Amino acid sequence: MRITGYKSHGVGAVAALVNAVTSADGDDGDDALRAVLAEHGFFVEGFTPATAAALRPWARTLRSFFEAEDLDTAVTLLNGLLTDVPMHPQLSDHDQLGLHIHHAPPEVDLAHRFRATTLMNLAELLCDHGVDRIGVCAAAGCDRVYADDSRGGRRRFCSDGCANRTNVAAFRARRRAR
Ligand SMILES: [Zn+2]
């Protein structure tokens, strides 16, 4: 999957943020949200409690995107958000990252930058792959979301842990049936 835009993995970042804020086992504390952004390549020097407070509603809003059952629903949701979040693309070549596009101007705060970047990355994902690459984990009892950036695009679980647990349960069920 081609992830353009800022040199951070906005799609992975937003899935991790949605899980931190909205899943049953998530941690939506300030430090946890800061770590999510840092792990996905965002510069977090400007991260404050106000950033975390701004990111929580963004995560709750984007959960509906991962839960979208069809393309129309996902497109309508993103188009609404693209109207709400001011964009102001800029070309940048800082820190030897190579020339790339920032979706928000340099003066905006980190929460705004995160919203603009993740929104554009999700829009690109939808244009390239439709809704097949996003979803809620298929494992019993797990409510975490995922975005699939694998070549095959057959992911149905949030993690290898959930995939293995489900496969083992299915294997045991088949063995019992024999
Ligand atoms: Zn899971």
Side-chain angles (χ1 to χ4, degrees):
M1 179 167 54
R2 189 180 60 102
I3 298 180
T4 58
Y6 196 57
K7 298 260 170 143
S8 58
H9 296 278
V11 171
V14 79
L17 184 79
V18 168
N19 286 332
V21 174
T22 70
S23 75
D25 67 352
D27 176 356
D28 73 345
D30 291 0
D31 290 345
L33 300 190
R34 187 181 196 280
V36 165
L37 267 58
E39 279 161 20
H40 291 87
F42 285 82
F43 295 116
V44 293
E45 286 75 14
F47 194 99
T48 66
T51 312
L55 290 178
R56 289 184 192 104
W58 183 243
R60 285 190 281 270
T61 297
L62 285 182
R63 178 157 190 108
S64 330
F65 176 76
F66 288 91
E67 290 175 343
E69 304 226 325
D70 55 57
L71 190 59
D72 279 355
T73 307
V75 166
T76 302
L77 177 73
L78 284 197
N79 273 340
L81 294 172
L82 285 164
T83 305
D84 291 346
V85 176
M87 300 279 174
H88 190 151
Q90 297 256 307
L91 291 171
S92 179
D93 190 16
H94 61 86
D95 300 326
Q96 278 92 50
L97 286 174
L99 196 60
H100 57 284
I101 298 173
H102 283 192
H103 298 296
E107 64 272 17
V108 302
D109 65 29
L110 178 58
H112 182 168
R113 179 180 311 289
F114 186 83
R115 281 194 292 264
T117 303
T118 53
L119 201 44
M120 287 305 295
N121 287 169
L122 290 179
E124 287 157 1
L125 177 74
L126 208 55
C127 290
D128 287 351
H129 298 292
V131 287
D132 291 347
R133 295 296 189 111
I134 54 166
V136 180
C137 183
C142 182
D143 65 350
R144 293 165 59 85
V145 303
Y146 63 85
D148 185 357
D149 60 359
S150 69
R151 191 175 289 272
R154 299 209 174 78
R155 188 165 161 186
R156 294 294 174 265
F157 299 98
C158 71
S159 60
D160 289 345
C162 274
N164 293 339
R165 190 157 49 81
T166 304
N167 289 339
V168 168
F171 173 76
R172 286 188 181 140
R174 280 196 303 275
R175 200 169 51 183
R176 271 199 305 276
R178 279 205 299 271

